[in-house]
């Protein structure tokens, strides 16, 4: 008779983390591979060595005397799925950085350092390295240091090949120089800086349209035969930091609004004091071919366009009328495309987006859109 009280060799199988689907070796290899990427973002005040439990930053070494720290975090949303499905991993990290650093600059803060979180079911170092290389590129565009991050391998949490991203950024502004919107006044002019595409909002709608309309993303776009549709849709979010930092520090900008989820209608009022209303005239710029394509393909109502997509404007500035001409010249020299898109008037806090009837159809479709 067999003694069942004694464990057999089968019941004493030796388990490892790798057997559960997590490779410590792959994680270590990734840290080694991305070390040079982090070092390439080095700036004054930051450490550039990865592998510790945290990263140090010295604001005094960065030239600050009495800084206020400003923090932001964000993700890329379902644009990540577009990158995964079409093997476009090289620039999605730029989007991650952009969504954080553009939120800092609107408060007058210079981005100082960035940390990322990369989560996946099974770590594929080739993909992860491409993503982090994009993050490093974004950090260099913004002038901030990549000082650390976290890679999480979580079997069972993600489908094969899927991953998700989150970013965390800290910036600084000298006390008293922060942008709060309190300087915005009636008569201020609204300038718009051109976006580079859809940026990183509205992709659940974009992907739904692609599925329902049967778009062939690997073929040239109908509105640009020199560009594949997937490349037009996944163009990385523009980073505005270096263009805006100088005018901000010179006190030439009263307020900034980063046009993300909620579009023009919901983001511009966030930087207005009570009693002031933003009036935006879509006659001030051409709706981009990509945005016109999305609107036409989805038969999207004007208010839905103005609160879902950036409609070609990625950043809005409120400035004194006397600063308009010189700011346009300086921002254009810095590589921005600048439009005069409206003005601040007295009224209930909010934003009106309207067009002149009788002009081209995309503008007519926007006519008298209002959000209070």
């Amino acid at each position: 008779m067999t003694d069942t009280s004694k464990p057999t060799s089968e019941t004493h199988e030796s388990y490892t983390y790798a057997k559960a689907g997590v490779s410590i070796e792959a994680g270590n290899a990734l840290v080694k591979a991305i070390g040079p990427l982090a070092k390439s973002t080095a700036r004054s005040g930051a450490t550039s060595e990865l592998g510790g439990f945290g990263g140090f930053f010295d604001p005094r070494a960065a030239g600050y005397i009495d800084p206020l720290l400003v923090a932001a975090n964000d993700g890329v949303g379902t644009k990540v799925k577009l990158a995964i499905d079409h093997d476009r991993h090289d620039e999605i990290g730029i989007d991650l950085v952009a969504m954080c650093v553009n939120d800092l600059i609107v408060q007058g803060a210079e981005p100082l350092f960035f940390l990322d979180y990369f989560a996946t079911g099974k770590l594929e170092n080739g993909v992860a390295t491409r993503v982090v290389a994009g993050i490093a590129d974004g950090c260099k565009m913004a002038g901030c240091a990549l000082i650390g991050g976290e890679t999480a391998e979580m079997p069972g949490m993600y489908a094969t090949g899927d991953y998700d991203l989150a970013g965390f950024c800290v910036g600084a502004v000298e006390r008293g120089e922060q942008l709060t919107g309190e300087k915005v006044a009636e008569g201020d002019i609204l300038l718009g800086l051109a976006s580079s595409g859809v940026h990183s909002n509205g992709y659940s709608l974009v992907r739904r349209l692609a599925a329902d309309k049967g778009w062939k993303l690997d073929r040239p776009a109908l509105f640009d035969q020199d560009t594949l549709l997937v490349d037009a849709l996944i163009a990385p979010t523009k980073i505005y930091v270096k263009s805006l930092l100088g005018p901000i520090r010179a006190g030439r900008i009263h307020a900034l609004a980063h046009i993300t989820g909620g579009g023009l209608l919901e983001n511009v009022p966030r930087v207005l004091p009570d009693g002031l209303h933003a009036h935006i005239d879509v006659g001030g710029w051409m709706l981009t071919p990509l945005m016109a394509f999305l609107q036409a393909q989805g038969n999207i109502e004007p208010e839905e366009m103005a609160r879902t997509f950036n409609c070609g404007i990625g950043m809005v500035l409120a400035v004194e009328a006397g600063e308009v001409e010189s700011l346009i010249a300086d921002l254009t020299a810095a590589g921005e495309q600048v439009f005069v898109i409206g003005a601040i008037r007295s009224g209930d806090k909010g934003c009106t987006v309207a067009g002149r009837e009788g002009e081209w159809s995309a503008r007519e479709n926007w006519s008298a859109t209002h959000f209070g």
Side-chain angles (χ1 to χ4, degrees), residues 41 72-74 93 95-101 111-117 135-136 139 144-149 166-170:
T41 69
N73 73 298
D74 212 332
D95 287 285
L96 185 66
V97 176
M99 295 304 289
C100 294
V101 299
L112 300 178
F113 59 88
F114 190 88
L115 301 98
D116 69 282
Y117 176 78
I135 293 172
C139 286
C144 65
L146 177 61
I147 66 169
F168 310 84
C169 194
V170 172

Side-chain angles (χ1 to χ4, degrees), residues 99 103 195 197-202 256-271 278 280 285 291 302-316 341 350-353 366 369 371:
M99 295 304 289
D103 278 353
S195 65
V198 184
H199 282 188
S200 297
N201 298 100
L256 291 165
H258 183 201
I259 308 306
T260 56
L264 291 162
L265 289 175
E266 296 192 7
N267 284 292
V268 175
R270 294 170 66 180
V271 299
I280 294 177
W285 78 100
M291 292 294 167
E303 183 173 355
E304 188 69 17
M305 281 294 295
R307 73 189 316 153
T308 301
F309 297 114
N310 63 59
C311 298
I313 301 296
M315 187 74 74
V316 174
I341 65 170
C351 179
T352 297
V353 178
W366 288 40
T369 301
F371 174 77

Side-chain angles (χ1 to χ4, degrees), residues 145-209:
L146 177 61
I147 66 169
E150 177 70 13
T151 302
E153 192 174 22
M154 299 184 288
M157 285 289 290
Y158 297 89
T160 301
D162 280 358
Y163 60 83
D164 199 9
L165 298 171
F168 310 84
C169 194
V170 172
V173 57
E174 290 290 2
R175 191 180 304 273
E177 296 180 6
Q178 64 270 25
L179 293 181
T180 63
E182 63 183 11
K183 293 182 179 180
V184 177
E186 184 177 1
D188 278 0
I189 302 300
L190 297 175
L191 302 180
L193 304 186
S195 65
S196 54
V198 184
H199 282 188
S200 297
N201 298 100
Y203 277 89
S204 294
L205 177 53
V206 170
R207 292 172 54 248
R208 176 64 182 269
L209 281 172

Side-chain angles (χ1 to χ4, degrees), residues 283-298:
W285 78 100
M286 295 288 288
L287 192 64
T288 64
L290 171 57
M291 292 294 167
F293 170 77
L294 293 173
Q295 185 180 29
Q297 287 282 301

Side-chain angles (χ1 to χ4, degrees), residues 58 61 93 220 242 369:
D58 181 357
K242 290 186 177 179
T369 301

